[in-house]
Amino acid sequence: MSEFAIEFNEVVKDYGQHRAVDTINLAIRKGELVTFLGPSGCGKTTSLRLIAGLELPTSGQVLIQGKDVSQRPASERNVGMVFQSYALFPHMTVLDNVAYGPVIRGVKKAEAENQARTLLNQVGLTNLESRFPSELSGGQQQRVAVARAIVQQPDVMLFDEPLSNVDAKLRRRVRAEIRELQQRFGLTAVYVTHDQEEALAVSDRIIVMSAGKIEQIGTPEDLYDRPKNAFVADFIGDANLLTGVIQKGVFQVGSLRIPVDHQERPSVTISVRPERIRLSDINTETEANGIVLEATYLGSRMEYLIDMGHGMLLCSRPIEERRRKVREEVAIEVQPEDVSLID
Amino acid sequence: MKVIASLPRFLAGPSRASVSWLFLWCMASWLMPWYKVTPGITEAWFSSALGHSLAGRLWLLPLALAPCLLLLAQWRQWSWSARTSTGVFFAVAAWLIVQASLIGLHGTSPSMGAVFPLSTEGQTGLGWGGFISIIAMLGWLSEALADRGFCKGDRFASATIVFIVALLGLFVFFPIVKLSLMAFRSPDGLWSIAPFIERLTAQDLWRINCITAAPGRCGVVINSVTLGVLAATLSTLIGLGLALLVARTGFRFKRTLRAIAILPIITPPFVVGVALIVLFGRTGLVTTSIADWFGIVPTRWLYGMPGILMAQVLAFTPVTFLVLLGALEAINPSLEEASNTLGARPLTTFRKVTFPLLRPGLAAAFLLAFIESLSDFGNPLVLGGGFEVLSTKIFFAVVGARYDLGNAAALSLVLLVLTLTAFWLQARWVGRRSYITVTGRSDSGLAPALPKSIAWLTYGSVSLFILFTLGVYVIVMIGGFVNDIGRWDMTPTVRHLGTAFSVEWQQGSLQFYGSAWNSLKTTLLVSAIAAPLTTAIGILTAWLVARQNFMGKRQFEFGTMLSFAILGTVVGVYYVAAFNVPPVDITGTMAILIICFMFRNMPVGMRAGVAALAQIDRSMEEASQTLGATGARTFRQIVLPLVKPALFTAMVYSFVTAMTAVSAVIFLVSARHNMATAYIMGRVENGEYALAITYSTVLMIVMIICITAMSLIIGKRQLGRRKTEQPPVASHAAALP
């Protein structure tokens, strides 16, 4: 048995002229929750469907539990999928929906219903089993969809933007439930979302994609603190991308000078997170001065747009700090460990 | 021994489906009679393909040996088999077609005879063994394709495509090609382009004497197109009037109007024509009354264009009405409200907003009526007089004194080109603009009332139409139960009913004596078999078009459309030309009637299915697949229950059409398998109007009973206790072929 639940080897998926997934390699360990994150059209949903068997790769291999299933249809793989629209069968009761999978796989009807009942209890849907999906709330429908996918103990659970139909207020709770369930059942899970906050909150690892390619794979901390390229830096959280030179341990662009731990480079781009930029009153020693162009009150934080003469910097500060006014002159300070170098 | 021991595992293994197909193929070509009529006495002992090849018909040998070779290769897992087996298969399939087309009923070419001496004796049509072999071959092919990732490996989808493509090829393409070729054959059997050109440019197709010379007659193409345009224009306008009346006014008898709209759909052909003759013929009630009151000499004005036009408008208006009603109800009222709030007067709103949005509906209605008019056969036959149209001309080219299949072929091609042109023009006129006004969001606007001027226009035209319809159906209702409706002898009687449907209780059993019983039984049986088959193939095709992506999908869609574009009369001629000679020799059987209906009515089921599937989130099917269900199971347990209303529509439509169709079956009926409409046609031709009307009334009653029964059976179980409303697919889809 392979140590990986899912592997992609050089997987390509074309739709006519359009290349939706472009030569992807990846490996997902058992019991891990991995998220495909990216803007719409980046190939994340296609990748998920390639795992499910709802799409077959144009070339390359898809392995589940070490077995090559590239050309096998969904019905011959053991995956559980939660669809964006939940895709509950409207002409079946909740119980029939959940028991559908086991019955298909040859479990006796009574036994299948028992399994379904047990699982419905576990996801907190006792007493709803004879309802039809149209008689359930959105959150309840979602749990039925999860129960239906889990009941047959899949090799891997797939979530296709499961929160997009949940009320904004409920999202935090539902995503915590999904994470809790995944860990309780020890499931390998692949999760697709375009919401970076959601991805950071639920994932063990995140795969950032754009234009059919993988931009970076890493833990949430990796991606946030050490983005490998401009796309990742910009897509996850906000980032100030600065292009300049490194000379004698100092990054330099215009009047801005930031001490860094990196080698000398003639031309380089760095990324600095807005909340890592500190502001202070100007004095004669500081050279990096700017003028506050906009100051926005965000409740928990203040956000400033600072004109550095050669460009703008976005800076986010705690509300307790002294508030800066528009047109006030401020000094900028960045620690070397808060600077990440971009390819 | 080891080899034998591996057999059970092989038979039950993952490739068991493909193994069973090969096995069936083997059985069919080794044991079952290959030919419909086995030649020679001795060969009756081993009438299978293998037997025939042993007896010297060596060209059948590959067909008998291929399945064994493939079976062996698959069992022993020979290294070449994975790739080459499809190649072997296609070579054998190609050979099957080549030998069938080279060796006909009466032998073959000398060169072929030199290679296979026995082939000069010719071969008859395929028998059970032949047909089952072909089915098994297709089955194996679909498995092999699915294994290679066709349709994402979905075996059910792959099989559906393979079989439907094969059926379309055999029953749509093959007849067209075969008959089209005949247009190039001169009466003495020579092939050249000259007879084709001569037939296409014949004077009686294109001349315009009716305009240039005072008592002259126009060519049939001119007649058909003029009639089609007039009938389509009139019925679209009246249909629009009816639709506006129902959707946009406080008209009180909306339900009655909808009910009346259904009537012509279940009315057998000829009967409207007969009723018109009874009313407006030279001795008709209306004609003689007017003659008495105003002193006008009664004429035969009805016969020819006026009569046909009247009958067609009466028949097609309900269809255009249903289409336009659907289009009108689909317009988002807030668009019209928006126009009104912007200061437009009601008439301006109607002209600038409502009417343009109706364009696709108008185009669809017009096209439908135009095509119906082109294919109409009953009315021109009854009311035509000397006025000839393409469909009657084709009919007489086949059954008339001058039997000329070549000419019928050329005329059929003209008709086909006309229909396809109509489709193309419709597509151009509607254009690529988007007319979608109903989005997922609910809109609570109220459609505005009609502007006054249009409302009056509507009332005017509609009341005239309703008057005519009522008149016709009153005649139909009483005509069968009076002495002689043609001469207005109104003494009540049941003798016509007796002639057609008398029964007697004799020696403990019921004896059916009436002259119409046989045709009624055949009609019911054929319709009852054809309806579910038509529905099945229609819904499966819809599912393929809406849900599957496969190579050649566009061509596939075109093929299904083609089967709609071939009009009734033409289908009959095509089938006669293609299927009364080997290899597929099925004329005179009930099967050819059923098959004819299947492919004629399939597009209706398909459109109803596509419309229904468009409203169903496809992730439900995907969910079923990820839960382990195969394509077939998903189709049965998820798709079918959700498209039940469309199923019902398709079923009713194909049943009713099979009951009332005439043009397509007129060439296909036989003494043993006569159809009701052919029987009625015979009565009309003999002038036995009362009998024809009686039979029609009985048919209509039978249809109403059957439809009610069907709706009870299917409707009762509709979607369990679901509370949400079903999308309104069924009602309008009925009108859209």
Side-chain angles (χ1 to χ4, degrees), chain B residues 112-301:
Chain B
M112 194 72 179
V115 187
F116 303 111
L118 264 185
S119 68
T120 50
E121 283 177 22
Q123 50 185 356
T124 62
L126 290 174
W128 282 115
F131 283 120
I132 292 178
S133 291
I134 291 172
I135 291 170
M137 286 169 77
L138 294 172
W140 182 83
L141 177 67
S142 71
E143 286 291 323
L145 288 176
D147 281 334
R148 282 158 183 69
F150 187 58
C151 285
K152 296 176 197 168
D154 182 343
R155 287 157 204 290
F156 176 66
S158 164
T160 313
I161 291 174
V162 167
F163 279 100
I164 289 183
V165 165
L167 286 171
L168 282 179
L170 182 58
F171 294 113
V172 178
F173 276 107
F174 170 61
I176 292 181
V177 171
K178 181 132 188 188
L179 189 72
S180 305
L181 285 179
M182 282 192 191
F184 292 89
R185 207 165 110 152
S186 67
D188 41 347
L190 296 170
W191 300 92
S192 83
I193 189 129
F196 179 69
I197 291 171
E198 192 185 315
R199 280 165 181 148
L200 279 192
T201 53
Q203 268 294 302
D204 53 352
L205 258 63
W206 304 102
R207 65 169 174 239
I208 46 168
N209 288 3
C210 53
I211 304 166
T212 52
R217 281 184 184 167
C218 274
V220 279
V221 177
I222 308 290
N223 282 349
S224 283
V225 172
T226 317
L227 177 68
V229 169
L230 283 177
T233 312
L234 278 177
S235 41
T236 306
L237 284 179
I238 301 177
L240 178 65
L242 286 168
L244 286 172
L245 204 62
V246 169
R248 295 293 162 89
T249 65
F251 187 60
R252 256 191 259 164
F253 307 103
K254 289 180 183 178
R255 290 184 66 101
T256 326
L257 208 56
R258 280 187 198 246
I260 290 179
I262 307 299
L263 268 181
I265 299 170
I266 61 165
T267 305
F270 307 113
V271 63
V272 171
V274 169
L276 282 179
I277 291 176
V278 167
L279 283 173
F280 301 103
R282 208 160 69 90
T283 57
L285 177 68
V286 177
T287 318
T288 45
S289 310
I290 290 179
D292 288 350
W293 295 337
F294 301 102
I296 302 166
V297 182
T299 61
R300 295 172 54 83
W301 65 271

Side-chain angles (χ1 to χ4, degrees), chain B residues 695-716:
Chain B
Y695 199 168
S696 301
T697 316
V698 170
L699 267 188
M700 285 168 74
I701 293 169
V702 167
M703 273 186 266
I704 290 173
I705 294 172
C706 291
I707 294 173
T708 318
M710 270 196 265
S711 71
L712 283 180
I713 294 167
I714 299 191
K716 266 275 158 63

Side-chain angles (χ1 to χ4, degrees), chain B residues 537-572:
Chain B
I537 195 171
I539 296 287
L540 282 170
T541 312
W543 179 71
L544 289 182
V545 168
R547 291 293 198 261
Q548 299 291 328
N549 266 315
F550 50 90
M551 244 171 59
K553 184 172 165 184
R554 290 185 63 128
Q555 289 82 339
F556 179 80
E557 281 183 76
F558 180 74
T560 57
M561 204 193 77
L562 206 58
S563 92
F564 173 59
I566 308 173
L567 306 179
T569 331
V570 184
V571 171

Side-chain angles (χ1 to χ4, degrees), chain B residues 34-49:
Chain B
W34 181 261
Y35 291 122
K36 189 179 174 188
V37 181
T38 303
I41 301 159
T42 51
E43 283 168 33
W45 288 94
F46 35 94
S47 57
S48 66

